[in-house]
Amino acid sequence: MTVEDAGRGDLALAPAREHRTGLRTDGARRVFTEVLTPPSTLLVCGAGDDSRPLVAFAAAAGFRVVVADHRRGYLTADRFRRPAACS
């Protein structure tokens, strides 16, 4: 890698630093970078009946949902459908 090539790397990395997908132009060179960010995680403490709609809504909104409760009987697949993780 030359010093000139290292400078061009900044063109490709700029959208990642800005958390933006984009097409950058540097003279005759065009670089498209797509930034993929993981979904945000929502930790729900308590697996009672009141948490079920919250978990369903958050999962539908794109959150990665984790439900935590010390009562193992409440952490069942019948109560919380995927993509919720129960622990």
Side-chain angles (χ1 to χ4, degrees):
M1 175 183 280
T2 67
V3 172
E4 184 177 299
D5 290 337
R8 288 189 183 132
D10 289 341
L11 179 67
L13 295 176
R17 281 193 290 269
E18 298 168 8
H19 301 286
R20 285 187 28 212
T21 295
L23 181 64
R24 302 292 175 123
T25 305
D26 179 22
R29 226 175 170 180
R30 292 190 321 171
V31 176
F32 176 78
T33 306
E34 184 174 8
V35 178
L36 303 173
T37 55
S40 297
T41 301
L42 174 67
L43 171 62
V44 178
C45 298
D49 289 335
D50 56 338
S51 66
R52 294 173 69 186
L54 172 63
V55 169
F57 182 76
F63 283 85
R64 178 183 172 272
V65 182
V66 177
V67 181
D69 198 308
H70 67 282
R71 302 167 291 189
R72 291 279 179 208
Y74 280 29
L75 298 173
T76 65
D78 292 336
R79 292 178 60 79
F80 299 100
R81 302 277 182 227
R82 289 234 172 235
C86 298
S87 62

